[in-house]
């Protein structure tokens, strides 16, 4: 099968282009895409564990621990022992983390809006539906 007919190849190219563009727009904020994703996940789920955040961000727990350590070193997050499960650290944004996230998110949202503007409402909904079908099939056939 030629590469031009492989849907996975087209998905990968789109993912790489989106990642590279987001990396470029986040650079002035001093964040990497994984750091931005972690801050966004923490904003939506204050107190989430590193393992749960890793699952939400699609990275391994060791990778997430590195991301969180770097964010903590910059005072963008704080990690405290869970009230009942002392071996689990709850992670939350600091005020500085919220400010950095707000600025970075403004940049990232511009990319998302520009991407969305390339499609009509019907095309966007169709694309979202088609990508969802891709995910459903791939999760079903995964060994």
């Amino acid at each position: 099968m030629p590469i031009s007919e492989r849907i996975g190849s087209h998905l990968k190219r789109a993912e790489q282009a989106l990642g590279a563009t987001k990396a470029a727009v986040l650079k002035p904020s001093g964040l990497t895409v994984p750091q931005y994703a972690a801050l966004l996940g923490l904003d939506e789920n204050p107190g989430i564990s590193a393992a749960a955040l890793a699952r939400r961000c699609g990275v391994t727990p060791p990778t997430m621990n590195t991301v969180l350590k770097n964010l903590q070193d910059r005072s963008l997050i704080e990690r405290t022992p869970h009230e009942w499960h002392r071996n689990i650290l709850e992670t939350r944004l600091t005020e500085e983390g919220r400010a950095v996230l707000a600025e970075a998110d403004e940049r990232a949202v511009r990319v998302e809006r520009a991407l969305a503007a390339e499609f009509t409402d019907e095309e966007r909904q169709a694309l979202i539906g088609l990508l969802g079908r891709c995910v459903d099939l791939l999760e079903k056939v995964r060994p």
Side-chain angles (χ1 to χ4, degrees):
M1 169 183 270
I3 261 186
S4 63
E5 294 178 16
R6 295 177 187 228
I7 292 173
S9 177
H10 293 283
L11 288 171
K12 185 65 175 178
R13 284 185 57 225
E15 177 189 31
Q16 288 172 329
L18 179 60
T21 301
K22 281 196 175 176
V25 301
L26 293 172
K27 192 171 186 174
S29 302
L31 295 175
T32 64
V33 174
Q35 289 171 337
Y36 167 73
L39 291 177
L40 200 57
L42 289 168
D43 189 50
E44 292 179 358
N45 301 282
I48 192 171
S49 70
L53 187 58
R55 285 188 295 276
R56 284 186 57 87
C57 294
V59 298
T60 64
T63 297
M64 183 52 68
N65 281 326
T66 300
V67 167
L68 293 176
K69 181 186 179 324
N70 291 332
L71 292 172
Q72 190 172 22
D73 288 348
R74 288 184 55 197
S75 300
L76 301 181
I77 63 166
E78 59 186 8
R79 302 181 80 190
T80 56
H82 186 277
E83 185 178 344
W84 302 307
H85 307 285
R86 292 288 174 192
N87 59 337
I88 294 176
L89 293 176
E90 292 184 319
T91 308
R92 298 183 193 292
L93 296 176
T94 61
E95 284 303 315
E96 186 176 351
R98 279 187 201 81
V100 168
L101 174 61
E103 194 268 332
D105 196 42
E106 198 174 292
R107 294 169 178 277
V109 166
R110 282 197 294 264
V111 172
E112 293 287 348
R113 286 191 175 133
L115 185 57
E118 282 297 304
F119 303 97
T120 66
D121 288 343
E122 289 173 353
E123 288 172 330
R124 273 192 305 279
Q125 291 307 312
L127 179 58
I128 291 166
L130 293 168
L131 291 171
R133 282 174 47 195
C134 289
V135 170
D136 290 345
L137 171 67
L138 293 169
E139 288 177 347
K140 187 169 71 172
V141 301
R142 183 185 310 140

